[in-house]
Amino acid sequence: MANGDSRKGVYSIKMKIRALVNPKKLLARFRLQTELYRYVTYVFFSTLLGLLAGLGAVLFHYLLDLSSNFFEDGNFASMLTIDARFIVLVPVIGALATASMTRLFPETARQKGVTSVIKSVLIHNGYIPFRVTLFHLVAPLISIGTGVPLGPEGPAAKIGSGLGSWMCQVLRLSQQEMKMYAAAGAGAAISAVFNAPIAGVFFSIEIILLNDIKNRVLGGFIIAAVVANLLSRAVLGDTSVFTIPPYHFPALWDYPVFLLLGVVCGAMCLLFFLLNNAGSRLIRDRLKIKNEFALLLPLSLLFGVVLLWYPELFGVGYGAMNDAINGSYEMGLVASLLALKIVFFALFLRAGAYGGLFAPALYIGVFTGLLFSGISNALFGLSTDPVLFSLVAMGGVLAGIHSMPLTAMMLVFELTNDYRLILPLMFVSVIAYLVVIYVNRGSLYTRELREDGINVAVYGESTLLSKIRVRDLKRVDFESVYTTTPFRKILPLLGDSGCNDIFVVDQNHALSGVISIRDIRHVLLSSDMADVLLAMDISSPAPVLTDGDTVAEALGRIEEYDIENIPVVESEESRVVTGMITRHDILKAYNRLLERSDRINL
């Protein structure tokens, strides 16, 4: 008996030891009892994302260099023993390939550019199918590699965000984490491409998240951008995109000229938008061309012919920018290349080519600064430094086209590694940005999102509030009067109403309108009018909601109509009022959801 009790005692001790050292239970206890697990996994996933995005950007950069060098330097002519004038057909071959890809995969092809990344983060919580990432790795390689004058940075951002989304899908991370890592991947790729980690972080904040930033997200952005940049430096070397010759330090009397340069940069951005919109109207509305081949092939052939005289327009254009900054071009050639770049940049975007807007914006900026400096010196006897003005204008045009002044400043600063440029860069970038925002009433990306029916002003709230329905926040304590109720009888109800609104209904209890205190002040000042008016005379039309509508829709209508309360009806047809939903209740619900989301994530 004693031996049996002893064996039971030993067995009990063994089981307790096993329970203590059980990895699964220890991990569960670790998760529950400490926040350290969340922080460790957060750093790990951010580092992993930096490696993935960096590898994707480096691969894209390497393959694009191979393709561009083969055609740009005329190597293809000597290797194939053909005349160099066959450069005319190179863009056409690329157009045939990319148009075929667009025809075969139309849905995937439409998900291109930085705007598609923003939409993925806003609407789909960062979900990007891996086939989309692969498609937008290959298509821009063909398009840009065969001469289309667009940039590699937009596709790189698409690849980085796609890899961030894919990582979350494979590791089964939450939707909130997928949203964060998809945005962080885009910035990490920009960091790797430009060797500019700070600009990569600002790109994620300003463009992908539309300046909606939280502390935890910022940490992931920084870690991913740093890791991607370190990987890029290890593989590609610690070299800058541009070779900057010596230039004069900006003097105090240069700043009035910088002010004018900022306005000119903004005007160049507006010219690009004007040509871009005109190209869209010409292609889609007037000519009504929808066939992918009919759009790209004629334009590519025309561009190929132009390349015979202006080979500096081929591809990304970093070489031409370097030559221009180092004074290799006459002013006449600078003006010609600037004009042609803007035209073909706008047309290729509308014709369906694949590529980004960063490099063309930098190209336009460099040539705008050089031309501005040359004209100022010739006409007004100034002694502006063309190198200095080309670098500053590069930031100005980048900030204006993309509406991202912080990213533009930091990108040019990191490209030049010269702190002396910060003040003029800040000045010119902000002036150009303000010019574009004032005229266009919004950025390039917010305008494209609005065209797709996305209300950017409330996108952050919509992401959370789309999860709950109007019925969950509906109030049933509301005041209503008939359309024939005299105004004198309405006054006491307005005074007692906690929401300052009264609903006006007909004999069938269907909503006719709403009476609000702020809308009847003129009536309160006139006793004569108050004696003769009825409810129907002073009511205003109002939007309605049903129980099944989302609270995100309710908030959108509140913003649109600038009201505080919206009536809830049985159906759109009957319009019988069953309650109301208020701005105050929506904001309370949003704050609760936000707090809950933050607790879950970290």
Side-chain angles (χ1 to χ4, degrees), residues 324 329-339 366-368 370-371:
Y329 300 150
E330 299 292 335
M331 281 298 109
L333 180 58
V334 167
S336 299
L337 290 175
L338 175 60
V366 167
F367 282 77
T368 296
L370 289 174
L371 191 62

Side-chain angles (χ1 to χ4, degrees), residues 118 121-122 125 176 179-180 183-184 201-218 221 406 446 456-464 590 594 597-598:
I118 301 172
V121 171
L122 295 187
N125 290 315
Q176 287 297 322
K179 180 177 179 178
M180 177 183 71
V201 172
F202 279 116
F203 174 80
S204 294
I205 297 171
E206 283 193 296
I207 300 301
I208 306 301
L209 292 186
L210 302 176
N211 291 306
D212 181 43
I213 183 69
K214 298 179 178 66
N215 288 336
R216 180 177 184 253
V217 174
L218 180 60
F221 288 177
L406 292 176
T446 57
V456 180
V458 295
Y459 85 92
E461 292 86 346
S462 298
T463 303
L464 290 175
Y590 173 67
L594 196 61
S597 175
D598 288 341

Side-chain angles (χ1 to χ4, degrees), residues 421-435:
L421 279 177
I422 282 293
L423 288 181
L425 263 177
M426 293 171 65
F427 193 48
V428 173
S429 298
V430 168
I431 295 298
Y433 164 76
L434 291 176
V435 168

Side-chain angles (χ1 to χ4, degrees), residues 54 68 92 104 107 123 244 257 271 313 317 331 335 347 353 426 475 479 497 512 524 529 543 555 561 567:
S68 298
V92 178
L104 291 172
E107 291 298 324
I123 301 173
I244 311 298
V257 189
L271 176 61
L313 293 171
M331 281 298 109
L347 290 178
M426 293 171 65
R475 291 188 179 191
E479 298 285 352
S497 175
S512 174
L524 296 174
M529 293 178 64
L555 181 61
Y561 289 90

Side-chain angles (χ1 to χ4, degrees), residues 85-96:
R85 286 175 293 183
F86 274 93
I87 189 71
V88 170
L89 298 180
V90 171
V92 178
I93 295 171
L96 280 170

Side-chain angles (χ1 to χ4, degrees), residues 270-289:
L270 294 175
L271 176 61
F272 158 70
F273 289 127
L274 179 66
L275 291 174
N276 195 28
N277 294 333
S280 177
R281 289 193 298 271
L282 174 66
I283 293 171
R284 306 293 180 182
D285 300 334
R286 182 167 299 181
L287 299 178
K288 300 186 184 301
I289 301 175

Side-chain angles (χ1 to χ4, degrees), residues 81 121 131 150 171 217 244 262 273 295 318 335 402 407 410 421 434 445 448 454 474 526 533 541 557:
T81 63
V121 171
R131 66 179 183 278
L150 299 178
L171 298 177
V217 174
I244 311 298
F273 289 127
L295 283 170
Y318 288 151
H402 293 271
T407 305
M410 296 313 304
L421 279 177
L434 291 176
Y445 302 110
E448 289 182 353
I454 300 173
K474 182 175 71 173
S526 174
L533 292 176
R557 295 186 191 179

Side-chain angles (χ1 to χ4, degrees), residues 84 90 117 181 265 286 293 320 328 352 434 444 542 600:
V90 171
V117 178
Y181 290 125
C265 288
R286 182 167 299 181
F293 298 94
S328 300
L434 291 176
L444 169 68
I600 291 173

